[in-house]
Amino acid sequence: MQQRAPSAAVGLPRVTPMSPPCHRFTGAADTSRCTGRADPLLPRRPVSPSLKPPKHPSFGNMAEVLHETETSSDSTAPGEEQDNNASLEQYLRHKNLVLDFLRSDLNPHHLQYHWNKVHLLKKCYFYLKFEPRHVCVRDQNNMMIFADILQIANPCQLQKIKKVGKKQTEVQLALLTELLEQLERGREELSRYVQICDVETFLSQWDFNIKRVLRLSMFFNKLIALEEPRKLHVKHSLVSQIHLGGALHPPISFSLYTKKPPIFDRIESFACETWAQLKWFTESQESHLERWQLEIKLVTDDSQTEPGYGRTQEVISNPCVINHLQPGRLYEFKVRRSDTHTLVYSQWHDCIILKTKTDPVEDVKEASNRSMRRVTRTTPTL
């Protein structure tokens, strides 16, 4: 006997239960922002590996990361639902990529670190470096000798190379400042962009903003490269033909290196009745033969009744004592590295103002106060 199927199942299509679009994607971002609520009891759809944001995104191959590869495993779902889910997944994936970039390269702490580094570079001294520093040349007796480049260098050619080094340093520092300003503005613009919750609006601006991300990533890489002194590419004849004796000019490469500026020790620097002791911080491996230039200036009220007073002297000791000061007066002291044949750029120097005592008894009190301050002293920063 032939069996009949239940009448309720005859001619009726199967209906697949629909769920809100935001609950069909389980990405890293919070989907409750799109629906206004979160329901953890709804079934969770596994995410395709191609839709997961990389742990450490590489913005050099951003085109590959952003390649459209959305596929749906539910072939029975309506087309409109598939489009909504694909748009939402694309929205969340793109948003996570921008957030990762903001939290890595454009992190505010990272940007502040680079700002501090650029500010320090602007205060540094830039010097010219030769490679090799010594070359073989012929002397007046036609004998080969091993000579220092600076001893046989053409003074005019050396000045031209130093001018090129100074110009390159000024351009480098200006570019670093401009790049950091561009990164700061780019971070503000991208931060406003990721706050857009409307999927359609966000995706409509994606092409423009992903170009912005790539451009900022390129700026960041250029910033890292410019933070170190670079080689000089100049055509030169540094060594005079008199010393070469008709031989070919030796291959000499030029580059720049930096030294940090000296900073006054505010505790160990003090003034007594007619003299003052000055001490400053230097780099840890500073040569004991390093020369320093001190500028001493009497602080006046800029009136015509009292003539100004100032002098400059070169010292090699640190600390050093400055004599022949007037009691009860303010003096401004400046310290800088002495000029050398290889110095190409310096724009900043530290300054301290001290007042000499009027009574010798005050010197004893000042000495006791200094011993107390040494206990809680801190390392100075630029």
Side-chain angles (χ1 to χ4, degrees), residues 148-214:
D148 190 316
I149 291 247
L150 290 178
Q151 295 178 354
I152 59 176
N154 186 327
C156 295
Q157 289 292 328
L158 181 60
Q159 289 301 319
K160 290 180 180 180
I161 296 173
K162 289 174 64 175
K163 287 182 180 179
V164 174
K166 180 180 180 180
K167 186 64 177 179
Q168 179 171 307
T169 301
E170 293 172 343
V171 172
Q172 174 187 355
L173 295 176
L175 281 176
L176 285 171
T177 303
E178 183 179 351
L179 287 172
L180 279 169
E181 292 174 351
Q182 292 276 4
L183 291 173
E184 292 278 7
R185 286 195 295 268
R187 175 176 174 77
E188 295 175 359
E189 294 165 350
L190 288 177
S191 298
R192 290 193 295 267
Y193 173 63
V194 295
Q195 293 175 1
I196 300 176
C197 288
D198 183 71
V199 175
E200 185 177 354
T201 304
F202 183 93
L203 294 179
S204 66
Q205 302 177 13
W206 173 249
D207 289 340
F208 174 77
N209 281 281
I210 190 55
K211 292 179 181 178
R212 175 180 289 162
V213 169
L214 294 173

Side-chain angles (χ1 to χ4, degrees), residues 5-48:
S7 59
V10 177
L12 296 178
R14 295 182 61 186
V15 178
T16 302
M18 297 180 61
S19 58
C22 287
H23 294 293
R24 294 185 60 81
F25 177 74
T26 56
D30 186 5
T31 56
S32 62
R33 298 181 64 179
C34 300
T35 61
R37 65 183 185 278
D39 191 353
L41 300 180
L42 288 176
R44 301 177 66 86
R45 173 185 173 187
V47 184
S48 171

Side-chain angles (χ1 to χ4, degrees), residues 136-140 143-145 147 151-154 238-247:
C136 291
V137 295
R138 294 185 181 276
D139 62 4
Q140 297 178 352
M143 298 292 293
M144 297 297 296
I145 60 173
Q151 295 178 354
I152 59 176
N154 186 327
L238 183 60
V239 182
S240 173
Q241 286 295 329
I242 299 176
H243 298 285
L244 291 177

